[in-house]
């Protein structure tokens, strides 16, 4: 049945240095993920990506239809070249749908994103559950063209559509005890094959959780995104609502959020829980602090053109947003708090 050799997968994934390849603590490794897949796991459509056929998106994958959004366009950003839409929506990390780069687009199209509610609770005077689709039409959306730098050393430039997280959180009146914000992705093993099976899900303990310090959450660059390239998000990019924090590694940008909880203490985060020596809570993009298994000094920019047009470029401190955010960390040793 399976005619392609799993070795091809190991090869292509090696080029993208997947987060799932962490070898620490005797947890599931990339190798066992592959073994698990080739053993033929129930219910999951084995993707072509698992066998290394495409690395940076492809033209023949169908993504669910998306709705056009109304928004204030971003001023042109002269020094940024956009990653083509097709690549943004076919080269993804969303381990709930598998660890291969095209697994999310292949396995997430049935995700039921409507209706969708988001609960804001914890250290707030006015906790509430909001209807995300109603929110989208009420809140006043804007476009933000941001660099996106994955910890795996590839990057994109994406025209997101969303709104400032800080403005949104103020509606719920954070108390003086609110020091951190904890986020949670949908937990629904019936819809998410990676939550049903540890091998498919890359060994992450679901639901996927993330967190920000309160000042990071309130920073005007931090947004909740509901769309990209003028339309609602496709499931593989975290529909209907996900976090975008442009100066941090991509894994902070938690997808398909159902809960936001304001808390007093630093909350656990999925990748830190999995390998705390490799992934810190802060995860600020920092070319001077290497990942234990690879350099973070440069990145492969996924831009226009074919696979071989991928361009190697220097990684910028705070992903190029240092002027806006460096002051948040002025008194911190960023080697220690990576
Ligand atoms: N729930 C959830 N959110 C997630 C992930 C995930 O596996 N599950 N992957 C993260 C990683 S590693 C990255 S790089 C970005 C990728 O976002 P994109 O696919 O929209 O480019 O999503 C982040 N958010
Ligand atoms: Mo990532």
């Amino acid at each position: 049945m399976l005619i392609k050799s799993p070795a091809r997968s190991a090869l292509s994934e090696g080029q993208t240095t997947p987060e799932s390849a962490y070898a620490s603590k005797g947890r599931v490794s990339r190798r066992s993920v592959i073994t698990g897949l080739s053993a033929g796991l129930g219910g999951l459509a084995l993707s072509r990506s698992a066998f290394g056929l495409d690395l940076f998106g492809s033209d023949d994958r169908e993504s669910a239809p998306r709705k056009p959004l109304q928004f204030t366009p971003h001023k042109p950003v002269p020094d940024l070249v956009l990653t083509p839409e097709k690549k943004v929506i076919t080269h993804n990390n969303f381990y709930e749908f598998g660890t291969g780069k095209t697994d999310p687009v292949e396995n997430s199209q049935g995700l039921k994103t409507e209706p969708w509610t988001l609960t804001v609770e914890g250290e707030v005077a006015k906790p509430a559950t909001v209807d995300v689709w109603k929110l989208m039409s009420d809140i006043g959306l804007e476009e933000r063209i941001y660099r996106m730098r994955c910890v795996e050393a590839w990057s994109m430039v994406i025209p997101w559509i969303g709104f400032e997280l800080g403005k949104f959180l103020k509606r719920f009146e954070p108390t003086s005890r609110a020091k951190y914000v904890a986020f949670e992705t949908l937990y629904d093993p019936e819809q998410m094959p990676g939550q049903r099976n540890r091998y498919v899900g890359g060994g992450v303990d679901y639901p996927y959780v993330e967190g920000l310090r309160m000042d990071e959450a309130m920073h005007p660059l931090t947004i909740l995104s509901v769309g990209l390239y003028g339309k609602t998000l496709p499931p593989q990019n975290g529909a209907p609502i996900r976090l975008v924090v442009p100066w941090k590694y991509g894994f902070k940008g938690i997808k398909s959020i159902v809960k936001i909880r304001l808390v007093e203490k630093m909350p656990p985060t999925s990748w830190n829980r999995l390998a705390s020596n490799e992934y810190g809570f802060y995860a600020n993009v920092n070319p001077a602090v290497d990942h234990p298994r690879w350099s973070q000094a440069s990145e492969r920019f996924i831009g226009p053109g074919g696979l071989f047009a991928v361009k190697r470029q220097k990684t910028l401190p705070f992903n190029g947003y240092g002027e806006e955010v460096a002051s948040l960390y002025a008194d911190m040793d960023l080697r220690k708090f990576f």
Side-chain angles (χ1 to χ4, degrees):
M1 199 181 60
L2 296 173
I3 45 170
K4 301 272 174 3
S5 153
R8 287 204 56 174
S9 166
L11 207 143
S12 72
E13 294 294 351
Q15 291 160 1
T16 56
T17 333
E19 283 141 302
S20 61
Y22 59 88
S24 59
K25 298 181 187 166
R27 287 174 185 269
V28 58
S29 68
R30 166 57 48 171
R31 193 166 300 278
S32 53
V33 170
I34 291 160
T35 313
L37 282 172
S38 29
L41 292 163
L44 183 81
L46 286 174
S47 70
R48 281 163 286 186
S49 68
F51 304 101
L53 293 187
D54 26 40
L55 198 48
F56 297 116
S58 93
D59 291 331
D60 61 345
R61 285 194 174 71
E62 284 308 317
S63 187
R66 294 149 58 203
K67 296 179 186 165
L69 289 167
Q70 297 218 325
F71 57 92
T72 310
H74 196 288
K75 289 190 249 32
V77 190
D79 54 331
L80 292 184
V81 174
L82 297 184
T83 298
E85 180 173 8
K86 194 76 198 185
K87 294 184 186 181
V88 175
I89 67 173
T90 56
H91 178 272
N92 300 97
N93 275 332
F94 199 167
Y95 279 24
E96 284 86 339
F97 295 100
T99 58
K101 293 292 177 265
T102 53
D103 288 345
V105 65
E106 294 205 346
N107 300 324
S108 71
Q109 299 313 313
L111 180 68
K112 192 169 185 279
T113 58
E114 210 173 341
W116 192 279
T117 57
L118 169 59
T119 299
V120 182
E121 58 181 32
E123 290 297 342
V124 287
K126 295 183 170 163
T129 295
V130 301
D131 173 336
V132 168
W133 290 87
K134 192 165 171 293
L135 181 71
M136 262 186 238
S137 54
D138 296 347
I139 196 163
L141 300 172
E142 54 176 309
E143 183 181 47
R144 294 284 179 98
I145 299 173
Y146 283 158
R147 296 184 189 84
M148 214 272 290
R149 170 58 157 84
C150 176
V151 76
E152 299 164 341
W154 52 266
S155 69
M156 294 187 178
V157 170
I158 304 175
W160 299 108
I161 293 159
F163 51 88
E164 289 179 17
L165 172 65
K167 282 190 191 157
F168 175 66
L169 290 181
K170 280 185 188 146
R171 293 184 170 191
F172 307 89
E173 300 179 11
T175 74
S176 59
R177 283 189 301 272
K179 299 285 190 283
Y180 293 89
V181 184
F183 303 85
E184 204 173 295
T185 293
L186 176 70
Y187 182 73
D188 187 349
E190 276 191 26
Q191 294 198 80
M192 295 175 152
Q195 295 179 340
R196 292 199 295 272
N197 186 300
R198 201 170 162 76
Y199 293 106
V200 175
V204 173
D205 276 323
Y206 294 105
Y208 193 101
V209 289
E210 257 306 334
L212 293 173
R213 211 169 58 187
M214 198 63 189
D215 58 342
E216 299 175 323
M218 301 310 286
H219 193 282
L221 285 178
T222 304
I223 60 167
L224 285 176
S225 169
V226 297
L228 57 84
Y229 269 105
K231 290 175 266 167
T232 50
L233 292 173
Q236 61 271 26
N237 291 83
I241 190 162
R242 58 90 58 83
L243 181 67
V244 176
V245 193
W247 70 93
K248 293 180 179 285
Y249 290 118
F251 66 84
K252 297 296 288 184
I254 180 171
K255 295 177 169 181
S256 305
I257 303 168
V258 293
K259 192 155 73 174
I260 297 180
R261 190 174 174 83
L262 281 73
V263 292
E264 263 191 283
K265 298 218 172 74
M266 185 183 278
T269 62
S270 284
W271 281 102
N272 178 254
R273 214 155 49 182
L274 213 48
S276 58
N277 59 323
E278 303 194 349
Y279 309 103
F281 174 83
Y282 287 94
N284 293 317
V285 174
N286 191 342
V289 176
D290 287 338
H291 185 279
R293 291 179 287 113
W294 61 85
S295 166
Q296 294 292 27
S298 68
E299 64 204 39
R300 290 182 308 280
F301 173 62
I302 303 175
L307 172 59
F308 299 102
V310 169
K311 186 173 137 244
R312 171 70 62 177
Q313 63 188 26
K314 274 193 172 164
T315 290
L316 301 169
F318 298 108
N319 205 24
Y321 302 96
E323 218 172 286
E324 290 97 324
V325 303
S327 62
L328 301 182
Y329 311 101
D331 56 354
M332 283 172 61
D333 176 355
L334 296 176
R335 293 190 168 276
K336 192 163 164 226
F337 298 100
F338 58 88

